[in-house]
Amino acid sequence: WADLDAVTIAGFLDHLEQSRGNTARTRNLRLTAIRSLFAYASLQHPEHAESIRRVLAIPPKRFDRPEIRFLSQTQLAVLLDAPDPTRWEGRRDRALLALCAQAGLRVAELTGLNNCDLSLGDGANVRCLGKGRKHRTIPLNTPTSNVLGSWTAERGGLRHEPLFPTRTGRRLSPDAIERLVSKHAHTAADRDPAFPAAGIHPHVLRHTCAMNLLHNGIDSAVIALWLGHADIRSTATYLHADMTIKDQALQRMTATGAPAGRYQPTDKLLAFLDSL
């Protein structure tokens, strides 16, 4: 512990950015993990309390938050039509995209799904294991339930096998899901030039789910539960990104009655000021 002082930790964080080319967000994630370790060490090694305190005092780095990207319902429909329905992979991918966009699942949650995690019929829902090993259940609408019903009938398999496997039956990796989303986004752009293919990744579908809920008047606390946010403040980013809500607020505002132009003082006021 004596070797892991604040200077060493700060040097490691600088190395991440300068030598490895990591972003400020990645740097802050590493710092969070280090803080967790040193918070535990502070209870186990009080003899190093001052050195540990200095490490815990290292501040996170500020960074610009990018604008949230999401798809409109029209754009989402174009993306869902992109997979080839004549191929096994295309039917799998369409079911995967529909589930991700409607349930707002993270990639890790999506790759961890098994056949037994899906319930169809009345009260259709999907169960997943999210961040912090928290279980949550998300209801499914009729169109998504129908797509998944067709897929599971074709997919078959045992209850504890992956819901979206590869051809060989293995579980899809996060990189594989990112590649297939990008591939179908470019296919959608070829069919519809208005589709924004650049920068479409799996998390955009999660944002699309959140914005769809928001546009339909769902309370932000319910959206936080739906997405599995530990803090409702994480959902506030969608409020900032939603121009529809801001436009509605603008329409409700009372217009000011002040006339346009600059203020012109009267001659009496000018004469009074000159006399001072």
Side-chain angles (χ1 to χ4, degrees), residues 3 27 33 57 63 70 79 89 105 117 133 197 216 227 239 261:
D3 294 335
R27 177 190 186 276
F63 58 91
F70 62 95
L79 179 62
E89 289 87 351
L105 299 179
D117 294 324
R133 302 196 62 78
N216 284 280
L227 299 179
L239 293 172

Side-chain angles (χ1 to χ4, degrees), residues 163-200:
L163 180 61
F164 301 111
T166 64
R167 274 283 187 181
T168 57
R170 293 179 298 175
R171 199 175 295 275
L172 283 172
S173 67
D175 288 342
I177 291 182
E178 187 164 351
R179 285 194 299 270
L180 72 86
V181 170
S182 178
K183 180 184 73 172
H184 296 311
H186 283 87
T187 301
D190 292 338
R191 296 179 181 178
D192 183 357
F195 186 87
I200 299 299

Side-chain angles (χ1 to χ4, degrees), residues 144-160:
T144 304
S145 180
N146 291 339
V147 172
L148 289 169
S150 300
W151 164 246
T152 54
E154 178 180 1
R155 188 255 181 274
L158 301 176
R159 286 176 51 81
H160 294 288

Side-chain angles (χ1 to χ4, degrees), residues 3-19:
D3 294 335
L4 298 176
D5 55 11
V7 175
T8 302
I9 299 300
F12 166 70
L13 296 174
D14 291 338
H15 164 75
L16 291 178
E17 286 192 278
Q18 299 169 7
S19 300

Side-chain angles (χ1 to χ4, degrees), residues 78-95 97 151 154 167 180 183-184 187-188 191:
V78 174
L79 179 62
L80 294 180
D81 286 338
D84 185 356
T86 64
R87 302 184 69 245
W88 183 87
E89 289 87 351
R91 296 188 291 274
R92 177 202 64 189
D93 293 353
R94 186 171 189 273
L97 293 173
W151 164 246
E154 178 180 1
R167 274 283 187 181
L180 72 86
K183 180 184 73 172
H184 296 311
T187 301
R191 296 179 181 178

